[in-house]
Amino acid sequence: MNFSPLLAEGSSDAVENLLHWLCGLVGIPVQVGVPLILILATLGTILGACSYAIWLERKLAAWIQDRVGPNRVGWAGLLQPIADGAKFLLKEDIIPAHVDKFLFVIAPTISVFTTMLALSVVPLGPTTLGEGFSFIIAPKIDIGIVFLFSVTSLAVYGIILGGWSSNNKYSALGGLRSSAQVVSYEIPLGMSVIGIALMAGSLNLETVIDAQAKSGLFGWNIWYQPLAALIFFLAALAESNRLPFDLPECEQELIGGYHTEYSALKFGMFFLGEYTHVFTVSFLCSVLFLGGWHFPYIAELESVGILATVLKIGVLLTKVLAVIVVIMLLRWCLPRFRFDQLMGLCWKAMIPLSLGNMVCVMIVREFELSWFWLPVSSFALFCTAGVLGFKPAPVTARRSRSVEQLIAGHH
Amino acid sequence: MSGQLVTFVPIFVFIAILLGFVITNLVLAHTVGPKKHTPVKEMPYESGMDPVGDARQPFDVKFYLVAILFLVFDVELLFLYPWAVSAYVEGQHGKYGEPLSATHLGHDSPGIPYELRGTVFGVMLVFVATLAIAYVYAWRKGVFKWR
């Protein structure tokens, strides 16, 4: 038996050997054992990361709003997430009398289950297309992106069922809005990725990273698909119900939206589902558009060894963290959309733009044009949409002087 | 098990673990924590007002239209994915410098042959155009207009 797996040649082999050795120690087949270890590690990391993402978000909010933020439990409030978790567990779990009990109970579980399951095809660290070890729960799945979208879109059932079963008007409205929103934004989300599939010739996220890493910093998809990246990011924000698209649960209108009636651990599960979705989205943005674990001179395709593995994980996680921080900053910097604006943005702007972008990629690939035309066409499409969409503010939208004076008089 | 199915084993393991995780959570939610039922606590929370009528009321038909349009576009997406994967794979020397074949995934998926490429391109253009016409029709009918 190899007792020093870390000393073996090559980083990925070393990790693989270590995992195989562990499987042999416990006595379970490698096909099940290696994913099992990865799954448990991922699950633990996600649970911890979710709680600390909430801490980070509260600190960021406090910083933007010139407050102190959580600072009572532990140094700088660092134990706050643990206290929150304990509170979720120890509070009373109320199931109101008027609800549909079965659906009410099952809704948060659907939310957590689907968002977590989506992580199974997302690269969580360095990946290889060859013999080595890939940090994916389920590597080498060719339908990766389709699987991911189909599973994450099931999460809307949690929201709809939660809203409907609560038998509460706020919940019902929240669930209804959310179903229309999530369903609509799924189309630009899926369509913006088709350009990537056309370029990489695969829906496997490992291949997508590999294709980007091969041609260095300027192989990253964001240079060739800037419009698709923008559309994907915005649609993903809307899919995960984050501000400025958090209409299903906008506090000022709908109290808690679809989870108004939920308390204790069931509410916690909805929360966990939402944050897991944010993580998945950030991982996807990094993998699809920002080159995954690749960074010039630091983490290249050729670099092997323990250090390279650690660096690749570090690079990927840094990118993911950057996307998460951008999402959080957006939440505290932008006001919420109105519902008609939200649907208009999706159906009148993002869907035609993503369709146009797809046709551009198609033409470039068909006639074997230079890829230089891709960013140009993206920019042209963006500007065209801006010019077509521009219209001067209608007169009725402006407040007449008398109304303003009337309002001023009331205060 | 066949080679294709083996790659999905981790997903089944993950599903089993997630089911365990979710059920544990539910059991915890129902056992830990106090249980004190009061009539007020069991009422719907509608900002302290007594609820009037049922929450499950008829709603705007717009949501139904959006659902139908979503079906049209989503099925269209499902048609586009296989095409996007196979359209420019075989023997194509892409930007990335070498043939972007699926052979390094462990099994060969040849993609669309070179001589059929033009035909497929034309078919796809017609497909997208049909979709665009449907889209324009829906817009003119005012499906995207929310009061």
Side-chain angles (χ1 to χ4, degrees):
Chain A
M1 194 184 284
N2 183 8
F3 280 103
S4 53
L6 286 171
L7 295 177
E9 274 293 303
S11 65
S12 40
D13 293 338
V15 179
E16 199 172 16
N17 287 345
L18 178 69
L19 290 179
H20 283 198
W21 178 72
L22 272 174
C23 287
L25 212 61
V26 187
I28 38 176
V30 175
Q31 280 109 325
V32 180
V34 172
L36 197 67
I37 296 168
L38 267 181
I39 288 168
L40 293 180
T42 314
L43 215 57
T45 316
I46 286 290
L47 285 178
C50 270
S51 15
Y52 278 92
I54 295 169
W55 174 85
L56 177 67
E57 175 148 27
R58 290 177 66 182
K59 275 289 182 194
L60 269 176
W63 173 62
I64 288 174
Q65 297 170 346
D66 203 12
R67 297 184 280 115
V68 182
N71 68 342
R72 291 290 142 186
V73 195
W75 181 79
L78 271 174
L79 294 179
Q80 184 74 38
I82 297 166
D84 281 344
K87 198 183 83 173
F88 275 140
L89 200 58
L90 296 176
K91 281 274 180 179
E92 178 176 2
D93 182 75
I94 305 168
I95 300 183
H98 53 281
V99 302
D100 185 319
K101 286 227 168 52
F102 177 68
L103 295 181
F104 187 80
V105 168
I106 215 173
T109 65
I110 293 177
S111 185
V112 171
F113 184 83
T114 52
T115 46
M116 289 259 186
L117 188 61
L119 278 173
S120 54
V121 291
V122 178
L124 306 163
T127 53
T128 49
L129 288 176
E131 288 303 299
F133 178 75
S134 286
F135 281 83
I136 307 184
I137 292 173
K140 296 189 174 50
I141 286 195
D142 290 346
I143 57 160
I145 295 174
V146 176
F147 175 84
L148 199 120
F149 284 159
S150 50
V151 169
T152 45
S153 65
L154 288 179
V156 74
Y157 281 106
I159 295 171
I160 294 177
L161 292 181
W164 187 81
S165 68
S166 293
N167 202 357
N168 176 323
K169 293 187 194 71
Y170 293 127
S171 304
L173 280 174
L176 203 58
R177 277 185 183 185
S178 172
S179 55
Q181 171 187 332
V182 173
V183 145
S184 301
Y185 276 89
E186 204 150 300
I187 300 164
L189 188 76
M191 223 183 267
S192 55
V193 175
I194 285 182
I196 306 272
L198 275 171
M199 283 156 62
S202 172
L203 291 172
N204 187 326
L205 290 168
E206 297 156 88
T207 319
V208 173
I209 297 185
D210 201 60
Q212 294 180 74
K214 261 177 201 153
S215 35
L217 179 61
F218 291 100
W220 292 8
N221 281 328
I222 191 159
W223 307 118
Y224 304 108
Q225 297 277 300
L227 186 63
L230 184 70
I231 290 172
F232 181 86
F233 181 67
L234 290 182
L237 269 189
E239 282 276 302
S240 53
N241 293 324
R242 296 283 303 186
L243 254 157
F245 303 106
D246 74 334
L247 286 154
E249 41 178 317
C250 49
E251 292 89 351
Q252 291 82 358
E253 299 166 29
L254 295 176
I255 317 296
Y258 58 90
H259 53 54
T260 304
E261 293 285 344
Y262 283 90
S263 50
L265 207 52
K266 291 210 192 73
F267 173 73
M269 284 163 88
F270 269 128
F271 222 63
L272 181 64
E274 188 188 315
Y275 270 87
T276 315
H277 206 144
V278 171
F279 283 142
T280 317
V281 161
S282 313
F283 267 108
L284 275 182
C285 283
S286 319
V287 166
L288 288 172
F289 295 102
L290 299 176
W293 44 255
H294 173 263
F295 201 86
Y297 304 117
I298 297 176
E300 295 275 14
L301 195 61
E302 300 82 32
S303 46
V304 285
I306 297 291
L307 185 65
T309 307
V310 174
L311 276 178
K312 282 174 179 175
I313 295 179
V315 165
L316 180 62
L317 292 187
T318 312
K319 285 175 184 174
V320 170
L321 185 66
V323 178
I324 289 177
V325 168
V326 168
I327 291 176
M328 287 177 178
L329 286 179
L330 278 181
R331 170 167 180 186
W332 299 105
C333 295
L334 292 179
R336 185 180 291 125
F337 278 99
R338 217 169 52 209
F339 192 67
D340 60 329
Q341 294 171 333
L342 177 90
M343 297 306 272
L345 177 69
C346 177
W347 285 100
K348 293 181 180 170
M350 282 163 77
I351 288 179
L353 274 181
S354 51
L355 201 62
N357 185 55
M358 190 198 83
V359 172
C360 288
V361 180
M362 200 168 137
I363 290 171
V364 165
R365 288 307 304 249
E366 174 67 25
F367 298 108
E368 294 172 12
L369 303 175
S370 160
W371 282 27
F372 161 75
W373 291 107
L374 287 175
V376 173
S377 65
S378 280
F379 188 69
L381 274 174
F382 190 76
C383 292
T384 317
V387 170
L388 287 181
F390 176 79
K391 51 185 169 201
V395 184
T396 47
R398 294 188 206 126
R399 272 185 183 159
S400 66
R401 186 169 287 262
S402 57
V403 173
E404 256 170 31
Q405 279 165 351
L406 207 69
I407 291 170
H410 270 289
H411 284 285
Chain B
M1 256 188 290
S2 69
Q4 269 292 335
L5 208 59
V6 151
T7 53
F8 284 91
V9 166
I11 289 184
F12 293 122
V13 176
F14 199 15
I15 288 177
I17 289 185
L18 276 180
L19 278 179
F21 173 72
V22 158
I23 290 170
T24 318
N25 264 350
L26 280 187
V27 170
L28 279 179
H30 285 261
T31 48
V32 187
K35 288 273 177 296
K36 293 193 195 76
H37 297 279
T38 63
V40 176
K41 220 185 261 176
E42 295 191 336
M43 266 166 59
Y45 175 76
E46 295 189 353
S47 307
M49 312 279 284
D50 286 344
V52 180
D54 199 74
R56 290 158 194 163
Q57 287 164 357
F59 51 86
D60 200 333
V61 73
K62 274 273 154 45
F63 289 100
Y64 184 66
L65 289 180
V66 166
I68 289 181
L69 261 189
F70 161 74
L71 275 187
V72 172
F73 277 88
D74 214 39
V75 172
E76 171 245 348
L77 268 182
L78 279 183
F79 279 116
L80 286 177
Y81 278 123
W83 161 74
V85 172
S86 57
Y88 301 106
V89 168
E90 186 240 13
Q92 175 77 20
H93 288 259
K95 162 77 183 170
Y96 299 126
E98 60 177 85
L100 291 170
S101 66
T103 41
H104 41 216
L105 287 178
H107 50 89
D108 45 335
S109 63
I112 297 168
Y114 196 84
E115 55 273 19
L116 279 180
R117 201 162 277 180
T119 320
V120 172
F121 179 71
V123 170
M124 286 318 291
L125 278 188
V126 172
F127 183 71
V128 172
T130 320
L131 198 80
I133 293 170
Y135 173 78
V136 170
Y137 174 77
W139 191 327
R140 295 290 293 271
K141 276 283 176 187
V143 177
F144 308 139
K145 206 185 277 170
W146 294 74
R147 281 154 299 157

